[in-house]
Amino acid sequence: WTRTPVSGCHGCSIPPLRETLVTEHRSAWMDDELEMFRDAARRFVENEIVPNDPRWREQHHVDRDLWTKAGEVGLLCTDIPDQYGGVGGDARHEAVVVEEMGRRGITSFGHMVHSILAHYVLNYGSEAQKLDWLPRMASGELVGAIAMTEPGAGSDLQAVKCRAVREGDHYVLNGAKTFISNGLHAGLVGVVAKTDPAKGSKGISIIMVETKDLPGYRVGRVLDKIGQNGWDTAEMFFDDCRVTASCLLGPAEGQGFVQLMRDLPYERALLALGGVAGMEYALQLTVDYTRTRKAFGQALLEMQNTRFKLAEVKTQVHIARVFIDDCIAKLRDGTLDTVTASMAKLWITDTQCRVMDECLQLFGGYGYMKEYPISQLYADSRVQRIYGGANEIMKEIVARSL
């Protein structure tokens, strides 16, 4: 893959990539139309995101107008049919956007969660819901979020306490959510709630909540994380929030758990792809640094330990790339199963954390400085093993297939 270097990052700490990458690779699922789409996504990332990312990391959220700008150029809901306002592409288009963000170390823009929520609407929503919400998500008018995690319930969704009680033609929501990505700007939230606590997982439903001017809805703190500082991760509170019964996702109550499980391969494949793109970027940064940094009279890259370490890293990154390319091809064809997606998420994100650690080590003390992108990549990577289902859960899913 080749890129045109960007000159002058307007004071940003993200350096331009050199024209030829260490991990030149064209995925088998790419074609000429997708290359054109990649060029558009790349220009948007370089012009609209890279120069602003340091500021967004400081303020812990992107500017709200980034969403509408992304919608205007067709980078939101890329695999949603055009009849619902989307780009009309497939999973490969979403993969391109994920890669272009990952290969510049961008974690501030929560487009992936936005796309995941759009898929819930597309796959389980009524025609009226699709026509109402999806065009506004594609334009950036509505920012999507998924409210699953609670202070006392993470990977164990059956433990959620948020209640949605039917009262006539409305649901009344009460509960607290935490670690909600896109929480600050969210205009449409898929709230995972108990509609019948006595039924366990069969009593869980997804209630779609438009947040604007909604009485009883409140965003709490934007949480201060060790990484991914530019992505707004917030608390949410629902105190007697009333939404119409038509906001139930699906034809009947109690289908939320199944809906979530069915769409997890999509989410986990994209998370793993972001991990691969991030590793490829880290490898490039480290090769560039060790080529110019001298110690004991020679470049670090000329030392055997450095060369062997980077040889190991490049090998792991290539294996991860081949694995995820197979997953993206299957995702496009509708054949990606839960076990394979779980294996990808497990192995790639574990490998990602090891790779970032090896690369940071080769930067020495500079790697520990926030002004160097490798330090951000290192901190941003850690949560990959936690969200989207903790990797311990991934192991259990894979083990059950034995």
Side-chain angles (χ1 to χ4, degrees), residues 148 150 152-162 194 200 204:
M148 287 190 277
E150 298 180 2
S155 295
D156 181 11
L157 291 178
Q158 298 184 55
V160 298
K161 297 185 182 301
C162 183
K194 289 281 184 66
I204 293 175

Side-chain angles (χ1 to χ4, degrees), residues 62 98 228 247 305 336 367 394:
V62 301
V98 171
Q228 300 196 356
C247 291
N305 178 69
L336 182 63
M394 301 302 99

Side-chain angles (χ1 to χ4, degrees), residues 6-306:
V6 179
S7 60
C9 273
H10 310 288
C12 114
S13 62
I14 304 176
L17 290 180
R18 59 187 176 87
E19 190 167 339
T20 302
L21 300 184
V22 170
T23 54
E24 285 187 293
H25 177 88
R26 191 176 195 266
S27 300
W29 47 264
M30 284 296 297
D31 58 28
D32 291 342
E33 184 273 329
L34 282 166
E35 290 289 4
M36 293 175 62
F37 180 70
R38 185 184 296 284
D39 287 341
R42 182 180 308 152
R43 287 195 299 271
F44 186 83
V45 170
E46 298 292 357
N47 295 331
E48 298 292 341
I49 297 182
V50 167
N52 294 303
D53 194 60
R55 177 171 60 84
W56 292 337
R57 286 178 179 269
E58 289 293 326
Q59 70 185 24
H60 298 301
H61 61 84
V62 301
D63 297 336
R64 177 60 181 84
D65 66 357
L66 179 66
W67 288 96
T68 52
K69 289 179 180 179
E72 288 171 358
V73 298
L75 294 187
L76 299 179
C77 300
T78 60
D79 53 0
I80 297 298
D82 54 12
Q83 70 192 83
Y84 300 121
V87 173
D90 54 43
R92 299 172 303 163
H93 291 77
E94 193 65 27
V96 166
V97 178
V98 171
E99 285 184 339
E100 290 304 311
M101 299 290 177
R103 291 199 176 184
R104 296 301 267 138
I106 301 298
T107 56
S108 299
F109 189 34
H111 64 97
M112 192 186 304
V113 167
H114 185 83
S115 295
I116 293 167
L117 183 69
H119 268 254
Y120 285 130
V121 176
L122 178 67
N123 293 336
Y124 308 113
S126 66
E127 190 67 13
Q129 289 173 333
K130 296 174 190 177
L131 290 171
D132 183 11
W133 293 323
L134 290 177
R136 290 190 284 156
M137 293 185 74
S139 70
E141 176 187 343
L142 286 179
V143 176
I146 305 170
M148 287 190 277
T149 304
E150 298 180 2
S155 295
D156 181 11
L157 291 178
Q158 298 184 55
V160 298
K161 297 185 182 301
C162 183
R163 289 292 311 277
V165 178
R166 181 74 179 262
E167 292 186 1
D169 293 332
H170 290 79
Y171 282 102
V172 180
L173 275 75
N174 281 282
K177 298 290 184 177
T178 193
F179 307 147
I180 308 306
S181 301
N182 296 343
L184 179 65
H185 292 312
L188 181 66
V189 184
V191 181
V192 178
K194 289 281 184 66
T195 45
D196 189 344
K199 291 184 178 180
S201 64
K202 295 182 179 179
I204 293 175
S205 302
I206 299 177
I207 309 295
M208 303 297 294
V209 176
E210 284 201 53
T211 64
K212 185 178 181 181
D213 300 325
L214 178 64
Y217 171 76
R218 179 169 59 91
V219 177
R221 297 175 299 153
V222 174
L223 302 169
D224 191 12
K225 309 183 295 292
I226 65 172
Q228 300 196 356
N229 300 118
W231 192 357
D232 53 315
T233 304
E235 301 169 320
M236 286 182 178
F237 299 96
F238 303 89
D239 299 312
D240 290 329
C241 291
R242 297 180 68 87
V243 299
T244 62
S246 62
C247 291
L248 174 70
L249 191 65
E253 293 180 0
Q255 299 185 9
F257 189 81
V258 173
Q259 291 165 349
L260 293 166
M261 294 303 106
R262 285 177 178 170
D263 270 40
L264 280 174
Y266 179 86
E267 176 180 359
R268 288 167 180 165
L270 294 183
L271 287 174
L273 176 61
V276 174
M279 283 190 284
E280 290 170 338
Y281 182 44
L283 175 59
Q284 183 68 61
L285 290 172
T286 309
V287 169
D288 289 347
Y289 179 79
T290 57
R291 180 176 282 116
T292 58
R293 173 71 171 175
K294 293 186 180 298
F296 304 105
Q298 60 180 326
L300 290 180
L301 191 58
E302 296 174 359
M303 298 179 177
Q304 187 181 69
N305 178 69
T306 304

